[in-house]
Amino acid sequence: MRRYAVVSALAASAVSSVVESRGHVIADVQEIPLVLGNFLESVKTTKEAKAILATVGAQADVERVIASKAMRAGAGKMRNRRFRQRLGPMVVYNEDNGVVKAFRNIPGVQLFQVDRLINSDELQSVLRGAHPAKEYFHIKRNPLVNKHAAKKLQMAVRAL
């Protein structure tokens, strides 16, 4: 279900008011969703990745993610879920020519491969449409026990 949620969020990202209502800082971004070319797949270092995020105006959203890191309340701290933080920009790529290593150390940036999003079972089950209707069988009711069945039987007897 996680991939289905990501695809739904990606579809909702086309409306800038929805993105802003979720808390993302997109004032400096030219358009939503922001589509960059294939050159992004060949980025090798985190320094280059940060420079690209600053160029397109997504650096403010990354800074919001960094500032949101807080200690989790409750027993989750003892279960390897010590910190919680917001999510930032999502990078969708076709081929990994170094883009994963470049963006993986930037907090809040999510990385997804196009094939894994499109060919996921969750998404395909929604795209395939409705399943064929199930055949229901008629249950014979005992007229000595069931009042509705007795009434139908009496009406059938009167009709004779």
Side-chain angles (χ1 to χ4, degrees), residues 7 10 23 28 41 50 75 88 144 148:
V7 171
L10 187 63
D28 297 335
E41 296 174 355
K50 285 183 178 180
L144 298 174
H148 297 291

Side-chain angles (χ1 to χ4, degrees), residues 1-11 90 92 110-126:
M1 289 304 287
R2 179 174 180 258
R3 241 182 266 156
Y4 181 68
V6 168
V7 171
S8 300
L10 187 63
M90 182 167 63
V92 180
Q110 294 177 300
L111 293 161
F112 286 99
Q113 191 171 11
V114 173
D115 293 338
R116 292 205 54 201
L117 286 177
I118 294 174
N119 295 329
S120 68
D121 293 334
E122 296 93 358
L123 182 64
Q124 289 300 323
S125 66
V126 173

Side-chain angles (χ1 to χ4, degrees), residues 11-12 32 36 40 43 55 64 75 78 91 96 101-103 106 109 112 114 127 137 139 154:
I32 296 293
L36 301 176
L40 190 67
V43 174
T55 304
R64 175 190 68 93
M78 297 179 286
V91 177
D96 180 19
K101 287 187 177 181
F103 280 95
I106 302 174
V109 175
F112 286 99
V114 173
L127 293 177
F137 57 92
I139 300 174
Q154 288 173 1

Side-chain angles (χ1 to χ4, degrees), residues 7-133:
V7 171
S8 300
L10 187 63
S13 71
V15 183
S16 61
S17 60
V18 172
V19 175
E20 285 179 342
S21 69
R22 295 290 302 150
H24 293 280
V25 181
I26 57 170
D28 297 335
V29 180
Q30 292 90 4
E31 61 180 331
I32 296 293
L34 182 64
V35 178
L36 301 176
N38 291 337
F39 73 92
L40 190 67
E41 296 174 355
S42 61
V43 174
K44 301 280 185 201
T45 63
T46 304
K47 187 176 184 178
E48 293 173 1
K50 285 183 178 180
I52 289 173
L53 288 175
T55 304
V56 299
Q59 185 63 31
D61 202 24
V62 173
E63 291 171 2
R64 175 190 68 93
V65 170
I66 293 170
S68 72
K69 186 175 181 179
M71 186 77 70
R72 181 182 300 275
K77 291 189 290 286
M78 297 179 286
R79 298 176 181 143
N80 278 342
R81 299 186 302 262
R82 192 160 195 77
F83 295 100
R84 59 179 185 82
Q85 68 180 9
R86 300 279 180 239
L87 292 177
M90 182 167 63
V91 177
V92 180
Y93 61 93
N94 189 21
E95 292 181 18
D96 180 19
N97 297 328
V99 68
V100 173
K101 287 187 177 181
F103 280 95
R104 71 180 176 189
N105 203 25
I106 302 174
V109 175
Q110 294 177 300
L111 293 161
F112 286 99
Q113 191 171 11
V114 173
D115 293 338
R116 292 205 54 201
L117 286 177
I118 294 174
N119 295 329
S120 68
D121 293 334
E122 296 93 358
L123 182 64
Q124 289 300 323
S125 66
V126 173
L127 293 177
R128 283 188 206 120
H131 298 288

